[in-house]
Amino acid sequence: MVSADELRRIAGRLRDAERDRAPIAPVTAEFPGLSASDAYEIQLHNIRRRRAPVVGHKVGLSSKVMQEMMGVDEPDYGHLLADMRLSEDEPADASRFCFPRVEIEVAFLLGDDLPGADCTEDDVLAATEAFAPSIELIDSRIADWQISLADTIADNASSAEFVVGAQRVRPDEIDPRGIAAVLRRGTEIVAAGRSDAVLGNPVTAVAWLARTVARFGVRLRAGHLILPGACARAVDVRPGDEFRAEFDGLGTVGLTFARERA
């Protein structure tokens, strides 16, 4: 059993690790009994400390390839804040992160609130205003990505930043299960997959998210952005990298990283 004071101390360590770019040992190495519920409480401690408003949520570890890559067997979720949003027009600074990686996702833009514990896939489709192409920048404040499920949950599902492309496609104009996507670094394809890698259907992931966050008094609201999970494996970031994601029927989105200063 992990006490409330210990949960607050863990949250502080993760906050400091992000601020100082100084990753820490896995939380579960010191607290092997840390439950997923405890880890979500840690996550919420740090979200409440942030000044930027919540603009959405992300599902993490929703594809088999990412679960195998991270050594876990179920999804998790994290919060997206306004100060996490990147621009396609301005290079990001890789040096601000501990172990940055990028992954490609079909973003959901909600036009209506979603129900909570009873949310269905039909509810998700009815509430979704549009799909959009996106790249998520993930990072781990746990050293060398040595994470268990509880570690990544506590670390806001390894969230860092995200960028969303300009194109918008209504749900009735495309099958969300069959969107093929590739990620290029320069001209080289470094990852490829399809949207059905996400629990068989990214709509399923968003419905799971709505039901799961309801347990913590959280709702997915109109205007929120939802990232349901990666279509393909995550790719390590290097200074100077220029990434471009191409989604069949959904458009493109780019993310560039500044070169190291001489």
Side-chain angles (χ1 to χ4, degrees), residues 152-180:
T152 185
I153 290 171
D155 193 24
N156 195 26
S158 304
S159 300
E161 298 185 337
F162 63 91
V163 60
V164 179
Q167 188 161 340
R168 303 288 182 266
V169 178
R170 295 196 312 268
D172 61 357
E173 295 178 326
I174 196 169
D175 181 354
R177 298 167 297 181
I179 301 172

Side-chain angles (χ1 to χ4, degrees), residues 18 43 46-47 50 52-58 78-87 92 96-97 135-138 141 155-164 225 227 255:
E18 182 175 14
Q43 180 185 133
N46 281 333
I47 293 301
R50 302 273 293 257
V54 173
V55 296
H57 292 80
K58 56 86 55 96
H79 291 71
L80 302 176
L81 305 180
D83 59 3
M84 294 179 177
R85 190 184 297 272
L86 295 170
S87 167
R96 293 178 47 237
F97 308 101
I135 296 174
E136 185 184 4
L137 171 62
I138 59 174
R141 278 60 66 169
D155 193 24
N156 195 26
S158 304
S159 300
E161 298 185 337
F162 63 91
V163 60
V164 179
L225 169 77
L227 300 180
L255 181 57

Side-chain angles (χ1 to χ4, degrees), residues 25 42 53 111 120 144 146 148 155 178 190 198 205 216 221 232:
I42 293 167
T120 67
D144 300 319
Q146 296 300 305
S148 69
D155 193 24
V190 291
V198 179
F216 300 92
R221 300 293 187 184

Side-chain angles (χ1 to χ4, degrees), residues 211-229:
R211 296 192 298 268
T212 301
V213 299
R215 302 203 308 262
F216 300 92
V218 177
R219 290 283 300 278
L220 306 185
R221 300 293 187 184
H224 276 181
L225 169 77
I226 309 298
L227 300 180

Side-chain angles (χ1 to χ4, degrees), residues 186-222:
T187 59
E188 177 190 6
I189 293 178
V190 291
R194 268 186 22 146
S195 53
D196 57 0
V198 179
L199 299 182
N201 184 347
V203 177
T204 302
V206 178
W208 172 88
L209 175 64
R211 296 192 298 268
T212 301
V213 299
R215 302 203 308 262
F216 300 92
V218 177
R219 290 283 300 278
L220 306 185
R221 300 293 187 184

Side-chain angles (χ1 to χ4, degrees), residues 2-255:
V2 183
S3 71
D5 283 345
E6 288 169 327
L7 295 179
R8 283 192 289 271
R9 282 198 293 273
I10 295 167
R13 288 168 58 197
L14 286 167
R15 176 197 58 194
D16 293 348
E18 182 175 14
R19 181 195 63 203
D20 301 335
R21 193 174 172 259
I24 62 175
V27 175
T28 51
E30 183 177 352
F31 298 95
L34 189 73
S35 69
S37 292
D38 288 338
Y40 281 121
E41 288 299 330
I42 293 167
Q43 180 185 133
L44 285 168
H45 272 303
N46 281 333
I47 293 301
R48 295 182 189 116
R49 286 168 165 160
R50 302 273 293 257
R51 293 184 178 180
V54 173
V55 296
H57 292 80
K58 56 86 55 96
V59 181
L61 307 174
S62 56
S63 68
K64 186 171 181 60
V65 65
M66 285 303 298
Q67 289 178 4
E68 290 175 348
M69 191 174 182
M70 297 301 173
V72 301
D73 58 5
E74 62 180 283
D76 66 349
Y77 80 84
H79 291 71
L80 302 176
L81 305 180
D83 59 3
M84 294 179 177
R85 190 184 297 272
L86 295 170
S87 167
E88 290 191 82
D89 300 325
E90 296 182 13
D93 182 1
S95 70
R96 293 178 47 237
F97 308 101
C98 298
F99 307 104
R101 293 171 171 172
V102 291
E103 52 189 29
I104 49 179
E105 307 192 29
V106 175
F108 286 58
L109 306 176
L110 297 184
D112 292 301
D113 293 356
L114 283 176
D118 299 324
C119 185
T120 67
E121 293 177 18
D122 287 343
D123 291 327
V124 172
L125 288 171
T128 298
E129 181 176 294
F131 301 128
S134 72
I135 296 174
E136 185 184 4
L137 171 62
I138 59 174
D139 192 21
S140 181
R141 278 60 66 169
I142 306 297
D144 300 319
W145 285 99
Q146 296 300 305
I147 57 172
S148 69
L149 182 66
D151 289 304
T152 185
I153 290 171
D155 193 24
N156 195 26
S158 304
S159 300
E161 298 185 337
F162 63 91
V163 60
V164 179
Q167 188 161 340
R168 303 288 182 266
V169 178
R170 295 196 312 268
D172 61 357
E173 295 178 326
I174 196 169
D175 181 354
R177 298 167 297 181
I179 301 172
V182 298
L183 178 66
R184 298 180 187 272
R185 178 193 279 131
T187 59
E188 177 190 6
I189 293 178
V190 291
R194 268 186 22 146
S195 53
D196 57 0
V198 179
L199 299 182
N201 184 347
V203 177
T204 302
V206 178
W208 172 88
L209 175 64
R211 296 192 298 268
T212 301
V213 299
R215 302 203 308 262
F216 300 92
V218 177
R219 290 283 300 278
L220 306 185
R221 300 293 187 184
H224 276 181
L225 169 77
I226 309 298
L227 300 180
C231 299
R233 71 179 187 90
V235 175
D236 291 340
V237 168
R238 306 169 306 202
D241 277 343
E242 297 182 4
F243 291 103
R244 188 161 190 83
E246 302 166 357
F247 296 79
D248 284 357
L250 198 58
T252 64
V253 59
L255 181 57

